[in-house]
């Protein structure tokens, strides 16, 4: 017997559980120890994913302020800067789908490990290869992009397995605070290190920090709850309903009426419990028969719904039919618009301050970091929004539309206001508000990735991030060409504003919250 999304029934202390990643039915009764799949274990995995996203983003975006120092040393112009900044995204394009398929098949942990190790080596190599010219910089940054490509689908694949549907908005907000925090740290720390010790030392420090985090990740992270050491997996009554590492009842065991109690098999026909029985023989038989009847009723109910499909470990084949659904491309379209806005400012803000207001990275460090600090704080606040909204009667679809639409609307308005700024402080204010608004998408399209599929989560995120990365690859080249031709930043702001208004339309018209299945095509 197989079931889709995680759910459970409770009857006389038994937990009848459906699982989203392993075939079978799970029944539990309470133990005393904390399970790794319980609240504490899931919280640990969420913060490990958060830390990994912080480190990957910090190594990626430390290049933006440090490129100013490299440009002065190597005499790089706008075209050269655009080529260097786009080389990461070019490498990023090639490995996201493959990385998503690998995450679905082998788990998210090894995929994230590759991203961390590649980022560490790239940062440590830059001081060595820079003497060979800016093409050497492009090559190393390109290789870092190749290694970090699978990171995003790997994180989504892990989150879909570890966390329940009701926790998706929360875990999405926590993990999406990682890139914002990484951006904040890179823009705040990298210029200071470069000004004090030299930009080569800054690259080396980021590489060493990434190496240390790689070791922490490898030691404490698990791709799914079933990999947690067995001795640490004894759920109590409360945690049993959320644990996914359990004893499994086979078809033969179900047909013979066997049930699991205290991790031991009980045959209701025999009516015999071998461990400190405190109930009568008749009561045990009644409990077991009642639980089994409830199980079969649930199976019949699931078979009556067309939307209920088997969700087992995903195959390595690419699900082409899944990408014929319009909501899938609605999510990807919103992702493209988000990436264009987010990475334009992450890549070009330091250069904008330097050219427009004559503020180099070390003197504009606070102005560079404040917007991303605001974004990080709002991101953590957003993590607690979805639950209260649903309790007040809002549906998950309402949450996706309200949060996603608000994010695009505020971003569009801020971009228009940036064309009127007269000094760096007013620009910093609007940029801070813009970064705060981008946090809303954690409960918008980013959580919607997990709403639409569980089985193909890695491939879906890999494909979506690949398509969205086309924007982050082409945007630096387009911005560099536009600046060389027109020397005007306001035109870029207005174009980005128009894109965000398009994002509002897509969010409101295309978003759905349901599991999409290939069989429905």
């Amino acid at each position: 017997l197989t079931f889709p999304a995680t759910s459970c029934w409770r009857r006389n202390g038994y937990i009848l559980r459906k699982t989203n990643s392993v075939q079978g039915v799970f029944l539990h009764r309470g133990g005393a120890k904390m399970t790794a799949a319980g609240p504490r274990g899931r919280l640990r995995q969420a913060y490990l994913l958060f830390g990994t996203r912080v480190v990957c983003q910090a190594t990626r975006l430390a290049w933006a302020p440090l490129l100013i120092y490299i440009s002065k040393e190597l005499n790089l112009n706008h075209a050269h800067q655009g080529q260097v900044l786009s080389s990461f995204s070019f490498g990023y394009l090639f490995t996201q789908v493959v990385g998503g398929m690998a995450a679905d098949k082998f788990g998210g942990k090894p995929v994230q490990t590759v991203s961390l190790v590649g980022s560490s080596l790239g940062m440590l190599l830059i001081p060595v290869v820079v003497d060979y010219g800016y093409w050497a910089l492009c090559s190393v940054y390109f290789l870092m992009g190749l290694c970090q490509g699978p990171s995003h689908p790997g994180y989504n694949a892990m989150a879909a397995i570890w966390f329940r549907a009701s926790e998706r908005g929360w875990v999405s907000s926590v993990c999406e605070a990682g890139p914002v925090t990484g951006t904040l740290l890179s823009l705040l720390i990298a210029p200071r290190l470069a000004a004090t010790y030299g930009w080569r030392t800054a690259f080396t420090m980021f590489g060493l920090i990434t190496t240390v985090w790689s070791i922490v990740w490898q030691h404490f992270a698990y791709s799914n709850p079933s990999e947690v050491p067995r001795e640490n997996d004894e759920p109590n009554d409360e945690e049993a309903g959320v644990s996914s590492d359990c004893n499994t009842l086979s078809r033969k065991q179900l047909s013979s009426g066997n049930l699991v109690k205290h991790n031991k098999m009980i045959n209701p026909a025999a009516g015999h419990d071998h461990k400190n029985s405190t109930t009568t023989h008749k009561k045990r038989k009644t409990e077991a028969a009642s639980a089994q009847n409830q199980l079969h009723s649930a199976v019949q109910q699931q078979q009556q719904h067309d939307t209920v499909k088997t969700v087992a470990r995903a195959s390595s084949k690419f699900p082409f039919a899944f990408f014929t659904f319009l909501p899938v491309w609605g999510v990807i379209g919103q992702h493209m618009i988000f990436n264009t806005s987010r990475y334009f400012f992450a890549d070009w803000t330091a250069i904008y301050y330097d050219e427009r207001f004559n503020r180099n990275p070390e003197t504009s460090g606070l102005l560079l970091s404040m917007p991303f600090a605001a974004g990080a704080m709002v991101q953590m606040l957003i993590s607690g929004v979805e639950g209260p909204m649903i309790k007040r009667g809002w549906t998950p679809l309402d949450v996706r539309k309200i949060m996603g639409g608000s994010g695009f609307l505020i971003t569009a308005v801020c971009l228009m206001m940036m064309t009127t700024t007269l000094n760096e402080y007013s620009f910093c204010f609007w940029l801070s508000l813009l970064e705060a608004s981008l946090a809303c998408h954690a409960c918008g399209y980013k959580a919607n990735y997990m709403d639409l599929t569980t089985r193909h989560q890695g491939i879906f995120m890999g494909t979506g991030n690949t398509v969205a990365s086309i924007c982050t690859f082409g945007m630096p080249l387009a911005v560099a060409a536009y600046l060389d031709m027109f020397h005007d930043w306001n035109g870029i702001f207005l174009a980005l504003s128009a894109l965000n208004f398009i994002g509002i339309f897509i969010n409101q018209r295309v978003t759905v919250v349901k599991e999409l299945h290939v069989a429905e095509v």
Side-chain angles (χ1 to χ4, degrees), residues 12 14 261 267-273 277-290:
N12 296 330
Y14 288 94
K261 184 176 181 182
N267 191 313
H272 186 61
D273 185 1
S277 177
T278 59
T279 60
T280 64
H281 170 74
K282 183 177 179 179
K283 185 176 181 180
R284 289 197 303 270
K285 290 175 63 177
T286 302
E287 288 182 355
S290 176

Side-chain angles (χ1 to χ4, degrees), residues 66-84 130-135 137 199-200 355 484:
L66 296 178
L67 185 59
I68 295 176
Y69 299 95
I70 298 174
S71 298
K72 293 177 180 179
E73 185 172 318
L74 300 181
N75 296 319
L76 304 182
N77 56 29
H78 280 146
H80 293 145
Q81 291 172 340
Q83 289 170 354
V84 171
V130 69
D131 293 333
Y132 294 96
Y134 91 100
W135 281 112
L137 297 176
W199 63 263
R200 288 177 173 82
E355 293 188 358
D484 283 339

